[in-house]
Amino acid sequence: MGPGTELRARVETLLMGWWSALREAGGARGSGTVDLRELLTVLDRLPAMTAEVTATANTVFDAVDADGDNRISPEEHRQLVETWNGRPVDVTGVFELLDANGDGHLDRGEFALLWRQFWTSDDPTEPGNWLRGRFAATPSSSGGQAPG
């Protein structure tokens, strides 16, 4: 995803779109910062923004699919989680929770569903809530426990 690539442009456009949504949630303050209230306002709107959340999932999918095979492997998922968290993360057993059909990868549809669950679901048992890895309070030996 080097400079000047189409994918880089898509990611930048996507991020700036979400930044605009966050700024809009803050009204006309014009501070250039986003506070927790503004972030939560946008998060509360996400369940009604299925098209936008799915479009985000598609762009993220393309960025994560490093080898371009139109599938996300366990290694590519680990890279996503570590990028998201900004550090190495133990993802032991997490991919298996995400890969509902057990075929060893996530296709675009599976990933989009997981992405929507992560951003819009209040149900802690939905697999999408594991998308960014384990929660800090969840020990790696917890097996199939729901995040929490």
Side-chain angles (χ1 to χ4, degrees), residues 1 7 10 58-73 76 105-108:
M1 191 169 68
L7 180 56
R10 282 178 49 209
N58 284 326
T59 298
V60 171
F61 182 95
D62 290 338
V64 172
D65 180 21
D67 62 9
D69 68 352
N70 213 27
R71 306 181 320 171
I72 294 177
S73 68
E76 289 167 330
H105 66 270
L106 304 176
D107 65 28
R108 189 174 298 275

Side-chain angles (χ1 to χ4, degrees), residues 76-136:
E76 289 167 330
H77 174 257
R78 185 189 61 74
Q79 289 286 335
L80 169 65
V81 172
E82 291 186 355
T83 299
W84 203 333
N85 286 282
R87 61 181 172 75
V89 176
D90 177 14
V91 292
T92 304
V94 172
F95 194 83
E96 291 76 10
L97 296 170
L98 301 174
D99 183 17
N101 64 5
D103 65 0
H105 66 270
L106 304 176
D107 65 28
R108 189 174 298 275
E110 289 171 306
F111 185 79
L113 174 61
L114 294 164
W115 190 262
R116 285 190 306 271
Q117 288 173 347
F118 179 83
W119 287 107
T120 67
S121 174
D122 289 330
D123 181 352
T125 65
E126 287 193 316
N129 288 309
W130 289 91
L131 194 58
R132 74 174 283 276
R134 296 186 174 282
F135 286 77

Side-chain angles (χ1 to χ4, degrees), residues 4-19:
T5 64
E6 183 269 336
L7 180 56
R8 173 89 172 242
R10 282 178 49 209
V11 169
E12 288 173 357
T13 299
L14 171 80
L15 293 175
M16 292 310 295
W18 285 112
W19 178 247

